[in-house]
Amino acid sequence: MNTGMASLTQLHYKVHTSTFRRVHSRSQGLLKSGKLSQLQGFSFPSIHLNQSCICCTKLTPWESSPVTYAPTDNESDNFLPQSASIFETLESSKTADSSTANAEGVIETISQPGLQLQFLKWPLWLLGPSILLATGMVPTLWLPISSVFLGPNIASLLSLIGLDCIFNLGATLFLLMADACSRPKFPTQDCKSKAPFSYQFWNVVATLTGFVIPLLLMLGSHKGFLQPQLPFIPFAVLLGPYFLLLSVQFLTEMLTWHWQSPVWLVTPVIYESYRVLQLMRGLKLGVELSAPAWMMHTIRGLVCWWVLILGLQLMRVAWFAGFAARTRKQQLSSDTSTFNDD
């Protein structure tokens, strides 16, 4: 069957070829013989081929549907951001996706250590007060005065300053631990506490008063207004550590106010409590040195002054606790009203 069809196709091809050759030879003969003018009266019919378009909207199963993009009025025509090449556009989109993923990962990694550090803060509640007790109270209460005081000389002065330096080290560690415990669970939350200006002003006044009055009395003694006179070395043994620790307290308070640390409220309480013990130790040393009466009365007056200031500080702590409770309650009520409005 196939061989028959092939032979039939070849036969038709030969017939058409021979016919074309005959027509072509006759047209050439007519052109050569000049008979073309005889055929001018005849018109050859023109053949018009109508080309019809076939529209097919149905796709074959193996073809995928084309992707179309039709921007709306609300959207800007930014299908691909303008860049030097399409590869840069694709890389920028990948970079944006990766940055978003990295930001989410960073938030998760930040919140996890915050929860883990809470377990490390629990021992600080006992370790901090223990350090403060060991460095401040134990040497002052249990250490014999004869082992520290060797007479009105420089060695006794350095020994007393060494005891106060030990306390200052313990107080600094305690304040650092208290600051760590006062921080929130998550590091991203802000925890800055600014001391009121009135509190700072009266603290400065109390510190300057406790600093200026003994200096004026010492100056009056050297000028001869107070009798009997007290030499410089015994005066330094009695009140030298007091002036040094008062200066350290003032510097520490200034730093807590500048850093807005939550421990600004307990810093004067710690130092003033130890100052009372320090001045009581000065009374014992005054008996050993046979200090004049005006000096003993000065030390007693300083003890009363700092006990008064300590009481004011404790009242300030109670006031601040009530203020914080009222602020928290107002914040909760405002949040509740805002939620109800939404």
Side-chain angles (χ1 to χ4, degrees):
M1 183 67 177
N2 293 333
T3 56
M5 290 294 293
S7 60
L8 182 60
T9 302
Q10 292 177 0
L11 180 60
H12 280 288
Y13 177 76
K14 291 178 180 180
V15 171
H16 283 291
T17 303
S18 59
T19 306
F20 176 76
R21 287 176 180 175
R22 291 175 185 173
V23 173
H24 184 65
S25 60
R26 288 180 182 177
S27 63
Q28 288 180 351
L30 288 174
L31 291 173
K32 291 180 179 179
S33 60
K35 293 182 181 181
L36 181 60
S37 60
Q38 298 177 2
L39 299 177
Q40 289 180 357
F42 298 95
S43 61
F44 294 94
S46 61
I47 301 173
H48 298 280
L49 297 178
N50 294 327
Q51 297 180 358
S52 60
C53 297
I54 301 175
C55 298
C56 181
T57 58
K58 193 172 182 180
L59 300 175
T60 55
W62 57 84
E63 292 181 351
S64 59
S65 59
V67 179
T68 59
Y69 173 73
T72 60
D73 296 336
N74 297 329
E75 296 180 356
S76 60
D77 194 8
N78 292 328
F79 180 66
L80 288 177
Q82 185 177 2
S83 60
S85 62
I86 192 172
F87 300 103
E88 294 181 3
T89 303
L90 296 177
E91 289 178 359
S92 62
S93 62
K94 291 180 181 179
T95 305
D97 296 338
S98 62
S99 62
T100 304
N102 292 334
E104 294 176 354
V106 167
I107 293 174
E108 293 179 357
T109 54
I110 287 176
S111 60
Q112 290 177 358
L115 297 176
Q116 294 175 359
L117 290 176
Q118 287 298 113
F119 296 99
L120 300 178
K121 292 181 180 179
W122 293 347
L124 300 181
W125 287 87
L126 183 60
L127 182 61
S130 300
I131 292 177
L132 189 63
L133 177 64
T135 57
M137 300 297 105
V138 172
T140 304
L141 298 178
W142 278 276
L143 190 64
I145 195 66
S146 59
S147 62
V148 179
F149 178 71
L150 304 175
N153 49 33
I154 302 298
S156 299
L157 178 62
L158 295 178
S159 299
L160 295 173
I161 292 176
L163 288 179
D164 294 340
C165 289
I166 293 174
F167 164 75
N168 184 49
L169 178 62
T172 303
L173 293 176
F174 173 80
L175 292 176
L176 291 175
M177 294 179 187
D179 182 80
C181 292
S182 64
R183 297 295 175 180
K185 295 181 180 180
F186 302 102
T188 55
Q189 297 178 355
D190 190 13
C191 185
K192 291 184 178 181
S193 178
K194 185 178 181 180
F197 176 77
S198 60
Y199 175 85
Q200 298 179 13
F201 175 77
W202 289 113
N203 268 29
V204 171
V205 170
T207 303
L208 292 179
T209 302
F211 200 90
V212 170
I213 291 177
L215 290 179
L216 291 177
L217 293 176
M218 184 187 69
L219 183 61
S221 174
H222 282 281
K223 293 295 182 179
F225 296 107
L226 297 175
Q227 295 295 332
Q229 293 184 359
L230 184 66
F232 178 76
I233 294 298
F235 182 86
V237 170
L238 292 176
L239 294 181
Y242 165 81
F243 287 120
L244 180 61
L245 195 62
L246 187 60
S247 303
V248 172
Q249 175 190 347
F250 185 72
L251 178 61
T252 305
E253 290 185 16
M254 294 293 290
L255 290 176
T256 56
W257 297 341
H258 177 70
W259 292 334
Q260 298 183 3
S261 174
V263 299
W264 60 266
L265 197 60
V266 299
T267 300
V269 175
I270 295 171
Y271 282 96
E272 290 165 7
S273 300
Y274 181 80
R275 184 165 297 114
V276 173
L277 295 177
Q278 188 184 38
L279 292 172
M280 295 299 293
R281 183 184 65 192
L283 288 175
K284 295 180 181 179
L285 293 176
V287 174
E288 296 289 336
L289 292 173
S290 300
W294 65 266
M295 188 65 197
M296 300 298 290
H297 291 306
T298 301
I299 296 176
R300 293 189 184 100
L302 290 175
V303 171
C304 296
W305 171 252
W306 287 113
V307 169
L308 177 64
I309 298 301
L310 180 60
L312 293 176
Q313 297 290 351
L314 294 176
M315 291 184 66
R316 174 70 72 171
V317 171
W319 174 85
F320 189 79
F323 175 76
R326 291 192 300 270
T327 304
R328 190 181 301 109
K329 186 176 180 180
Q330 292 176 359
Q331 184 177 3
L332 289 176
S333 62
S334 62
D335 293 341
T336 304
S337 62
T338 304
F339 180 75
N340 292 332
D341 294 338
D342 294 339

